[in-house]
Amino acid sequence: MKYFSFAVLLGIQNGFTTSASLANEKIYEAAQAKLGDDVLLSSTVTAASRSDSGHRILVSSPEGKQLIQADKLIIAVPPLLQNLEPFDLGDRETEIFAQFDSSFYHTTILRLSGVPNNVQIFNRGVDTPYNIPVLPGAYVFYPSQIPNLFTGFFGGGTVELSEDEVREIIIDNALQLRNAGYDVSDPEVLAYGNHSPFQLIVSSQAIANGFYRDLYSLQGLRKTWYTGAAWHAHDSAALWRFTERLLNERVIVG
């Protein structure tokens, strides 16, 4: 319900708010300009020592290894064990984060002739309960402002697919539009992005056992705080608000 919220419904109905330039990266460029040399790009945390008295974070960057010392730490990556392995997790953290599973999500730009530019194509299962599509597969093809170019969103399944496998299934899904009477020929994937892991989940039994109570109890433990979709929702505006409140009410004053 948080993922498919009232705000999302209003966005679908009235249009989503975006920048005048339609460039979503502008907010990150502004943040980078403000932070200046304190931003490390193309860098990876390789080891960390975390304690209530402070943190020591070893980072591998294009300029070589760098040691960061900090009083507090905010982590925004998807909290899967393989992502958090360098962060010196304790037993309690490991036990909680190990329960997460995730789905997979890919975005594409597709050249798709034979489909009108004012038509959105939603994947629906013909012979499945509630017409849920067979996944992994395309969720939807959205028309763009450029004729014959569509944005395609793809996901589902429990096994991560290669880029070639995703492209093949996307093209096969597009060709099935012929069954709906569209004169589709030679679909082509022009651009591809992999946003996996996506939408972290746990079992219903874990939720009943208090998983999210235990998860939120980690906020502030060992002077470490967390933000990101796993802690709130896959909603950019909601996450900005969540992070602002986390900083102002918990991190800065703590």
Side-chain angles (χ1 to χ4, degrees):
M1 293 302 294
K2 291 180 72 174
Y3 175 63
F4 196 70
S5 63
F6 182 61
V8 172
L9 287 172
L10 289 177
I12 294 173
Q13 182 177 358
N14 304 320
F16 290 95
T17 301
T18 186
S19 63
S21 65
L22 302 181
N24 291 338
E25 71 273 11
K26 292 297 182 182
I27 191 170
Y28 299 99
E29 292 175 353
Q32 181 181 350
K34 186 175 181 63
L35 294 171
D37 293 338
D38 288 332
V39 175
L40 299 179
L41 301 176
S42 302
S43 303
T44 304
V45 174
T46 58
S49 175
R50 297 164 48 228
S51 69
D52 289 333
S53 60
H55 307 304
R56 294 164 60 87
I57 312 295
L58 185 63
V59 177
S60 177
S61 73
E63 289 73 36
K65 295 186 180 300
Q66 300 193 44
L67 180 64
I68 299 173
Q69 300 186 65
D71 293 329
K72 302 173 182 178
L73 182 65
I74 300 175
I75 296 177
V77 299
L80 296 171
L81 288 184
Q82 60 264 37
N83 290 340
L84 298 175
E85 183 178 358
F87 284 97
D88 183 30
L89 296 180
D91 292 341
R92 179 180 171 194
E93 296 165 319
T94 299
E95 179 184 1
I96 294 172
F97 291 136
Q99 298 178 63
F100 268 127
D101 199 356
S102 68
S103 61
F104 304 98
Y105 184 59
H106 309 258
T107 55
T108 61
I109 297 177
L110 187 74
R111 177 176 287 121
L112 188 59
S113 62
V115 179
N117 281 348
N118 61 349
V119 172
Q120 300 181 51
I121 307 295
F122 291 90
N123 192 358
R124 295 289 184 267
V126 177
D127 300 317
T128 62
Y130 307 106
N131 299 123
I132 294 175
V134 177
L135 299 176
Y139 295 139
V140 61
F141 296 140
Y142 280 117
S144 72
Q145 297 180 5
I146 302 175
N148 298 327
L149 290 191
F150 287 72
T151 52
F153 300 94
F154 177 99
T158 58
V159 178
E160 187 166 9
L161 302 177
S162 68
E163 178 178 343
D164 288 341
E165 289 173 315
V166 171
R167 287 173 177 265
E168 182 178 348
I169 297 174
I170 281 273
I171 290 175
D172 181 66
N173 289 168
L175 288 174
Q176 291 180 32
L177 293 173
R178 294 172 177 173
N179 298 329
Y182 292 107
D183 186 21
V184 173
S185 62
D186 300 325
E188 182 182 2
V189 176
L190 302 178
Y192 167 86
N194 186 351
H195 299 267
S196 305
F198 187 82
Q199 200 167 359
L200 270 59
I201 58 174
V202 294
S203 67
S204 58
Q205 186 60 54
I207 295 173
N209 290 339
F211 172 82
Y212 284 100
R213 175 200 61 213
D214 297 339
L215 179 70
Y216 275 87
S217 73
L218 297 180
Q219 292 283 30
L221 182 68
R222 299 168 71 190
K223 290 191 174 181
T224 301
W225 286 263
Y226 301 87
T227 186
W231 301 83
H232 193 43
H234 280 282
D235 182 317
S236 294
L239 275 179
W240 281 112
R241 289 192 298 268
F242 176 86
T243 305
E244 183 179 37
R245 290 189 61 183
L246 181 71
L247 286 169
N248 291 332
E249 298 178 11
R250 301 290 300 278
V251 179
I252 296 175
V253 300

